[in-house]
Amino acid sequence: MENQFRNINYLEEGNGRQKSAYKLLKKLNLFEILNNYNPVLVGTIPIDIDISNSDLDIICEVYNHDVFEKTIIQFYKKCDIFHIERQFIGRLETSFSSFKYDDFCIEVFGQPKPVFNQNGYRHMIIEKKILDLGGEKLKEEIKKLKRSGMKTEPAFAKYLGLKGDPFEEILKLSLLSEEELFRFVRGQQKVISV
């Protein structure tokens, strides 16, 4: 499953919103411009649980934040609502940029670690596995919770009955074997449907 997200070509064959995202990302040449940073699209659009105001979230592997930020500024500063900042998240220096282009808000996030080890990617992969196990009913319930104003991880946590920090609890599910995850998701669905 994880290999399917390594480049954005899968979006071209997806639903309407995924196709629109693909065209926009190609138009912006974003993945080519940021190629040295191993960009990966994460979040709700790749796994088809986005709602009308969902962002395009792109994570990158960044060790030189000055050069990375200069690149983003050079190519995207003229976009609407452009913002860029640097902060520490979990002791990691992190660059964060956001801007709007056409109908999409785009967020570009860079940390000094491989993208496949970053939490945004890890969340997306476990959420995709949960959705595959839970089927269309679970997907629709997650979208419903998101439309009510919840963020993605809290929506999954609520649906699955997870207690504590939803971001951490979702990551803990990624440590389960496929069989354990299957039993957990199916067990939670029986509890919730009663």
Side-chain angles (χ1 to χ4, degrees):
M1 170 192 309
E2 295 173 11
N3 287 336
Q4 87 180 69
F5 298 110
R6 287 184 184 256
N7 73 50
I8 61 170
N9 292 339
Y10 68 93
L11 295 171
E12 194 173 22
E13 305 300 322
N15 64 34
R17 187 129 159 101
Q18 290 170 331
K19 288 177 183 176
S20 295
Y22 177 80
K23 287 177 188 170
L24 177 103
L25 292 170
K26 291 306 248 184
K27 184 177 181 180
L28 286 173
N29 210 21
L30 203 139
F31 278 70
E32 290 75 14
I33 290 167
L34 298 178
N35 185 54
N36 290 340
Y37 303 103
N38 302 315
V40 173
L41 180 66
V42 297
T44 59
I45 291 173
I47 59 175
D48 190 23
I49 54 168
D50 56 296
I51 57 175
S52 61
N53 62 348
S54 292
D55 298 333
L56 287 171
D57 298 311
I58 296 140
I59 59 172
C60 297
E61 181 177 350
V62 176
Y63 298 96
N64 186 329
H65 291 274
D66 292 333
V67 173
F68 177 69
E69 290 173 3
K70 283 179 187 171
T71 301
I72 291 174
I73 290 167
Q74 176 186 351
F75 289 97
Y76 304 109
K77 184 169 178 63
K78 292 183 181 176
C79 292
D80 293 336
I81 318 171
F82 181 85
H83 173 79
I84 194 164
E85 68 179 78
R86 195 180 311 180
Q87 58 185 298
F88 280 84
I89 298 176
R91 297 184 189 169
L92 290 176
E93 188 172 19
T94 303
S95 292
F96 173 80
S97 177
S98 61
F99 50 92
K100 187 170 186 200
Y101 194 86
D102 287 347
D103 294 334
F104 285 96
C105 288
I106 300 162
E107 295 183 349
V108 182
F109 184 84
Q111 285 190 320
K113 68 192 296 189
V115 288
F116 301 113
N117 294 334
Q118 291 184 27
N119 286 348
Y121 183 80
R122 293 177 60 213
H123 282 140
M124 180 180 72
I125 293 302
I126 191 61
E127 289 161 3
K128 172 74 169 127
K129 288 178 180 179
I130 292 166
L131 290 168
D132 288 348
L133 292 171
E136 203 58 37
K137 179 180 184 277
L138 190 149
K139 183 186 280 189
E140 288 310 312
E141 288 298 320
I142 296 297
K143 285 183 175 183
K144 184 176 167 185
L145 290 168
K146 288 178 62 56
R147 282 191 290 270
S148 76
M150 293 185 89
K151 295 282 190 188
T152 304
E153 285 73 16
F156 272 91
K158 181 176 175 86
Y159 184 85
L160 295 171
L162 301 175
K163 305 295 182 212
D165 180 338
F167 297 90
E168 291 301 318
E169 295 305 313
I170 295 294
L171 286 180
K172 286 179 187 175
L173 293 179
S174 69
L175 302 175
L176 298 177
S177 70
E178 296 291 325
E179 184 180 322
E180 290 169 329
L181 185 62
F182 175 82
R183 284 197 311 261
F184 175 77
V185 171
R186 291 299 167 100
Q188 290 305 96
Q189 285 186 302
K190 288 176 187 171
V191 171
I192 291 165
S193 65
V194 173

